Amino acid sequence: MKTDPSTSPSTSPSTSLRATRTADAVRVGVIGGGLMGREVASAFGRWFALDGFPVRAELTAVCDLQPALLEWFRQVPTVRLLTADYLELLARDDVDVVYVAVPHHLHEKITTAVLGAGKDLFAEKPFGIDLASARRIAAEAGKRGRFARVSSEFPFLPGAQRALRQATGGALGHLLEVRCSYLHSSDLDPQKPVNWKRQVEFCGEAGVMADLGLHVAHLPLRLGWKPASVYAQLQKIYTTRPDGRGGTAACDTWDNATLHCTAAINGSSVPMTWEMKRMAPGETNTWIFEVLGTDGGARYSTKEPKTFWTYARDGGEQRWAKTDLGFSTPFKAITGGIFEPGFPDVLMQMWASFLAERAGMLGDKFGCATPDEAVASHEVWAAALESQRRGAVVTLT
Ligand SMILES: NC(=O)c1ccc[n+]([C@@H]2O[C@H](COP(=O)([O-])OP(=O)(O)OC[C@H]3O[C@@H](n4cnc5c(N)ncnc54)[C@H](O)[C@@H]3O)[C@@H](O)[C@H]2O)c1
């Protein structure tokens, strides 16, 4: 066990801690210790659950503005620095990779600082508040020659991986349609207090597309199914919400987005629907990928987390077959093969993919979303905003 001798525990505003240290581990710093920052700490806390994974990793430093959140990270034994100043975290030698999980208006400033400090970057989506911002971050990563990827965990679910294989397996016949959705419903409650994700200034003009969109876009973009055109139906439902302090605050982002796209797939123009909704009755965190062809089809939804549906046509009969999938995650884990994976598992799988690719050991396994894919998703959101303004189909170049 090593101890950081550089500062005393009473140093303010940062705190240096006694920490355990795994030799040769990749040392990760987190900027933004909110919902996602803590989820990532949890993944590293049980990294040993990955069976025979060649890269060790540990969380060494955390930055957040909220003292109570920093306190929470005190229970993570490998953490050596708690600070409210991200520049202090970036100046540390014991940080190799930085995960940035802050509100969208801060993405560009903080991610480019990470790259400028010579660290590798795992950025939360949407990778900048808008298209111009995403392009600048991607350019900076290229210029600095750093390894940079963007967070999108759902494709690491066994059902999503099976759907991906089905989509590329050549057994679907002529492709008829594709549907990709990510659906929430907590905003149906008008009394839910506002937060930064409901305000354009912090979330971005793309609103729900900035917030939920890369989850929908990642798999089709990886398949090369980038929309060639988009007709958007964007909805704002509640324009104010309680501000949590007894008053009312403006709530000005798009709540729901339905994008009717076309994509050039195998020489055909295929209808592809992308749905991102904060107000989808009955859906708590539902991610759906469905692809239908003349001969076959596949459907996976987190609503039935271990169920994978395949469509087939045999002679005169058609059938949807239901297959229960076990814990067949891309990276082997000690978890029993019949058990069901959930959100924390796929987040860990995504990090395993990030660290394997960074180490040149990804092989043929699924890689995390790239900066180019994040930029491409922003191109679609920009086209959708233009489509909504003009009430017309917008062609993407
Ligand atoms: N991959 C996913 O499934 C997923 C899920 C939710 C959110 N996200 C993304 O993660 C990011 C963060 O979202 P969240 O839900 O964790 O938000 P959150 O509000 O829970 O956490 C954001 C944290 O950033 C901190 N912060 C703000 N300014 C800071 C600064 N200057 N320096 C350091 N910390 C600062 C806040 O104090 C807060 O704790 C967003 O980009 C969001 O889109 C991804």
Side-chain angles (χ1 to χ4, degrees):
M1 178 163 114
K2 289 185 185 170
T3 310
D4 183 355
S6 60
T7 49
S8 81
S10 59
T11 304
S12 182
S14 65
T15 309
S16 177
L17 307 167
R18 286 185 171 272
T20 56
R21 168 92 171 90
T22 314
D24 304 325
V26 175
R27 298 157 306 174
V28 179
V30 165
I31 302 178
L35 177 73
M36 291 311 293
R38 280 174 293 163
E39 202 61 55
V40 164
S42 146
F44 288 123
R46 56 185 198 99
W47 200 247
F48 46 76
L50 290 169
D51 197 15
F53 188 70
V55 185
R56 280 179 294 176
E58 63 185 24
L59 184 62
T60 54
V62 181
C63 171
D64 200 286
L65 302 182
Q66 300 184 50
L69 283 176
L70 286 180
E71 270 310 303
W72 183 90
F73 284 93
R74 201 175 279 279
Q75 64 193 314
V76 181
T78 54
V79 169
R80 301 157 151 224
L81 175 76
L82 299 174
T83 180
D85 177 3
Y86 69 86
L87 295 175
E88 184 181 8
L89 183 149
L90 296 182
R92 297 279 292 210
D93 289 335
D94 58 358
V95 173
D96 307 306
V97 167
V98 180
Y99 171 63
V100 179
V102 294
H104 305 165
H105 68 299
L106 298 172
H107 277 196
E108 184 177 349
K109 183 169 85 166
I110 295 183
T111 57
T112 54
V114 168
L115 296 163
K119 313 288 187 192
D120 288 337
L121 170 69
F122 203 176
E124 259 306 339
K125 47 80 187 164
F127 201 62
I129 196 161
D130 56 19
L131 174 58
S133 180
R135 284 181 173 151
R136 286 191 293 268
I137 304 170
E140 188 71 11
K143 191 176 96 186
R144 301 277 180 186
R146 302 312 314 180
F147 182 68
R149 290 291 180 267
V150 190
S151 173
S152 158
E153 61 277 3
F154 292 101
F156 293 91
L157 280 161
Q161 289 289 311
R162 282 287 283 269
L164 183 71
R165 286 207 292 281
Q166 198 84 6
T168 52
L172 301 183
H174 298 281
L175 223 54
L176 295 169
E177 60 187 66
V178 179
R179 178 185 172 208
C180 312
S181 307
Y182 190 33
L183 310 173
H184 285 192
S185 61
S186 64
D187 280 23
L188 291 170
D189 176 5
Q191 294 311 315
K192 178 180 170 180
V194 77
N195 63 37
W196 64 264
K197 293 172 188 172
R198 273 85 194 149
Q199 296 182 309
V200 166
E201 183 185 356
F202 308 111
C203 177
E205 194 191 347
V208 69
M209 297 182 284
D211 203 12
L212 306 183
L214 188 62
H215 294 303
V216 163
H218 184 181
L219 222 48
L221 290 176
R222 181 61 54 90
L223 286 160
W225 300 352
K226 185 177 175 188
S229 71
V230 56
Y231 178 75
Q233 291 176 303
L234 309 183
Q235 294 166 282
K236 274 181 201 171
I237 314 294
Y238 299 132
T239 53
T240 60
R241 283 189 177 276
D243 66 4
R245 296 186 299 273
T248 301
C251 179
D252 54 359
T253 53
W254 295 111
D255 291 313
N256 284 2
T258 305
L259 309 191
H260 305 278
C261 309
T262 51
I265 306 175
N266 300 333
S268 299
S269 184
V270 177
M272 180 166 68
T273 308
W274 286 7
E275 292 177 292
M276 293 136 276
K277 296 183 178 173
R278 290 174 178 154
M279 295 202 198
E283 310 294 352
T284 50
N285 192 48
T286 308
W287 183 93
I288 300 166
F289 181 82
E290 182 175 65
V291 53
L292 296 175
T294 51
D295 299 339
R299 182 173 207 273
Y300 177 72
S301 166
T302 55
K303 195 104 176 157
E304 299 176 291
K306 65 180 179 184
T307 304
F308 181 64
W309 290 95
T310 45
Y311 168 81
R313 208 167 41 80
D314 288 329
E317 293 201 333
Q318 309 179 64
R319 65 165 188 279
W320 276 100
K322 179 180 177 179
T323 308
D324 267 15
L325 303 177
F327 207 86
S328 50
T329 48
F331 297 91
K332 198 168 178 303
I334 51 100
T335 306
I338 59 163
F339 297 148
E340 305 83 354
F343 186 88
D345 298 301
V346 287
L347 200 83
M348 188 182 205
Q349 291 284 318
M350 176 181 76
W351 269 93
S353 174
F354 174 88
L355 291 171
E357 189 173 6
R358 179 178 179 271
M361 293 191 275
L362 186 64
D364 60 0
K365 290 195 161 52
F366 191 81
C368 295
T370 63
D372 284 350
E373 287 168 338
V375 168
S377 71
H378 270 291
E379 287 170 355
V380 179
W381 319 144
L385 290 170
E386 187 187 338
S387 168
Q388 176 74 20
R389 272 193 298 272
R390 290 177 29 207
V393 175
V394 170
T395 305
L396 283 97
T397 49

